[in-house]
């Protein structure tokens, strides 16, 4: 029940009506019995600065950010975490005594289903590289590797957009021996690679390739990740990789699609037929949201299963 004491959380974007975040966050809030509510706030690009000032004025405790504001909000924040600077985008904002602080929980969301048991970010080797960078006080999220040794593993990432940046950061946190990014434009790929050289979390073992090298890369991949929109609803019959090329995937390799609808995608169906282990985009969506909710509520844990179930029902997967 919303009362005068109810604290506000939300998501900003334009448009924002399609966001799944209210469904999963409000399910968790109800389960926990805390006096919060999570609302969608449509904010046009020209109104972003005014909206952020207004949020502070009415006591909003924190908010998620979706397209088109993930980069535009950076200069409006008092502090930005190293992981968000490395990715070049913020998806979660929370209030500190210094003002609005931005971070990015997409890396934690991406890593969660790859780690057994999952371990939080900001520990291990990557921390040494970024510790000297002034940043928000990082929420206590800890380390990188989880229960598997990735030091001899090869990651191949399809696409070189914003989602690919979070995946590259995640693979660096895991300690992958090689990280290969596949794209269509040589110029964009070169810029993508260069952007990691002097960023807050340098990635030295990153190589970039055009799409015509994909077949050879697939045969080497221990982890193959689709960050492109190819295969997303309503074009669920499409796949970013031709079935013939996917024949080269090793049995037991992990094939991960950030798309969560349809579920599974054609890409994952093809991979399953070839003996690969598959992960769809729903765990990442849930876990990045759970990581943000822990920050806002200052809790060590939140009901991830409740959030997952709420999304599955909302998407008609049950």
């Amino acid at each position: 029940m919303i009362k005068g004491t109810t604290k506000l959380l939300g998501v900003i974007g334009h448009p924002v009506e399609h966001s799944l975040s209210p469904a999963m966050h409000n399910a968790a809030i109800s389960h926990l019995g805390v006096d919060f509510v999570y609302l969608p706030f449509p904010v046009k690009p020209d109104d972003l600065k005014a909206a952020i000032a207004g949020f502070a004025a009415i006591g909003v405790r924190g908010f998620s950010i979706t397209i088109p504001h993930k980069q535009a909000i950076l200069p409006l924040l008092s502090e930005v975490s190293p992981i968000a600077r490395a990715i070049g985008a913020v998806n979660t904002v929370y209030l500190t005594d210094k003002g609005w602080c931005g971070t990015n929980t997409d890396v934690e969301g991406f890593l969660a289903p790859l780690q057994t048991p999952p371990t939080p970010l900001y520990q291990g080797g990557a921390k040494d590289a970024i510790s000297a960078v002034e940043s928000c006080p990082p929420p206590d999220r800890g380390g990188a590797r989880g229960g598997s040794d990735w030091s001899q593993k090869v990651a191949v990432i399809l696409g070189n957009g914003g989602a690919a940046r979070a995946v590259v950061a995640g693979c660096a946190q895991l300690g992958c021996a090689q990280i290969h990014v596949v794209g269509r434009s040589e110029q964009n790929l070169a810029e993508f690679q260069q952007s990691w050289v002097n960023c807050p979390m340098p990635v030295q073992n990153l190589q970039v390739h055009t799409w015509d090298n994909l077949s050879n890369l697939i045969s080497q991949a221990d982890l193959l990740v689709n960050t492109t929109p190819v295969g997303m609803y309503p074009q669920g019959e499409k796949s970013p990789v031709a079935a013939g090329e996917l024949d080269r995937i090793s049995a037991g390799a992990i094939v991960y699609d950030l798309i969560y609808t349809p579920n599974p995608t054609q890409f994952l169906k093809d991979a399953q037929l070839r003996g690969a282990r598959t992960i769809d985009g729903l765990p990442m969506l849930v876990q990045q949201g759970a990581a943000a909710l822990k920050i806002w509520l200052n809790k060590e844990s939140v009901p991830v299963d409740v959030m997952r179930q709420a999304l599955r029902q909302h998407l008609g997967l049950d």
Side-chain angles (χ1 to χ4, degrees):
M1 180 179 179
I2 298 175
K3 302 173 290 186
T5 58
T6 301
K7 303 170 187 67
L8 297 179
L9 301 169
V11 54
I12 64 171
H14 184 71
V16 77
E17 293 83 2
H18 67 286
S19 175
L20 301 178
S21 295
M24 68 175 175
H25 284 304
N26 285 318
I29 286 167
S30 176
H31 181 85
L32 291 167
V34 293
D35 192 15
F36 280 79
V37 67
Y38 185 102
L39 302 171
F41 296 107
V43 176
K44 296 178 182 178
D46 290 345
D47 295 333
L48 181 60
K49 185 175 182 180
I52 303 310
F55 281 177
I58 64 174
V60 171
R61 297 300 182 92
F63 53 95
S64 309
I65 306 168
T66 188
I67 295 171
H69 304 312
K70 287 187 172 187
Q71 291 81 36
I73 198 168
L74 286 165
L76 302 179
L77 301 172
S78 299
E79 296 183 275
V80 178
S81 71
I83 198 73
R85 289 202 182 279
I87 296 171
V90 164
N91 78 338
T92 300
V93 174
Y94 58 101
L95 202 57
T96 72
D97 56 1
K98 295 182 179 181
W100 292 118
C101 179
T103 189
N104 195 303
T105 63
D106 283 337
V107 179
E108 187 164 350
F110 167 73
L111 287 175
L114 295 172
Q115 298 173 316
T116 311
T119 54
L121 295 176
Y122 307 112
Q123 263 181 0
K127 183 178 179 181
D128 297 333
I130 63 177
S131 60
V133 181
E134 182 178 352
S135 67
C136 304
D140 185 17
R141 294 291 171 264
R145 287 189 182 255
S148 300
D149 180 9
W150 289 83
S151 62
Q152 304 300 315
K153 304 293 186 182
V154 174
V156 177
I157 301 164
L158 308 179
N160 59 308
R165 296 193 66 84
V167 173
V168 167
C171 291
Q173 291 274 354
L174 286 172
C176 291
Q178 299 176 39
I179 303 172
H180 300 275
V181 171
V182 183
R184 302 200 179 277
S185 165
E186 290 187 5
Q187 180 178 344
N188 291 346
L189 285 166
E191 292 172 357
F192 183 93
Q193 185 173 33
Q194 183 61 33
S195 71
W196 290 95
V197 174
N198 296 313
C199 82
M201 194 180 74
V203 180
Q204 283 85 15
N205 57 345
L206 173 65
Q207 301 176 51
V208 297
H209 309 264
T210 53
W211 216 258
D212 51 6
N213 291 329
L214 181 58
S215 291
N216 182 51
L217 291 170
I218 285 178
S219 66
Q220 304 174 46
D222 299 292
L223 173 65
L224 177 63
V225 186
N226 177 39
T227 72
T228 79
V230 178
M232 183 182 295
Y233 177 85
Q235 296 181 321
E237 76 285 353
K238 294 187 177 181
S239 171
V241 179
E245 288 185 315
L246 206 53
D247 286 340
R248 305 194 68 178
I249 195 76
S250 299
I254 299 172
V255 176
Y256 195 149
D257 198 335
L258 302 194
I259 295 171
Y260 50 82
T261 180
N263 192 304
T265 59
Q266 187 62 49
F267 178 53
L268 294 187
K269 290 177 183 177
D270 291 343
Q272 286 173 333
L273 289 175
R274 287 153 180 82
R277 298 160 56 197
T278 59
I279 302 172
D280 61 65
L282 199 61
M284 178 175 174
L285 179 65
V286 172
Q287 293 288 349
Q288 64 80 27
L293 196 59
K294 289 177 190 176
I295 295 170
W296 298 323
L297 301 185
N298 193 26
K299 287 187 175 292
E300 291 294 322
S301 64
V302 294
V304 174
D305 289 346
V306 171
M307 299 172 76
R308 181 185 302 109
Q309 186 63 26
L311 281 187
R312 290 188 63 83
Q313 290 179 351
H314 188 83
L315 292 168
L317 297 176
D318 289 334

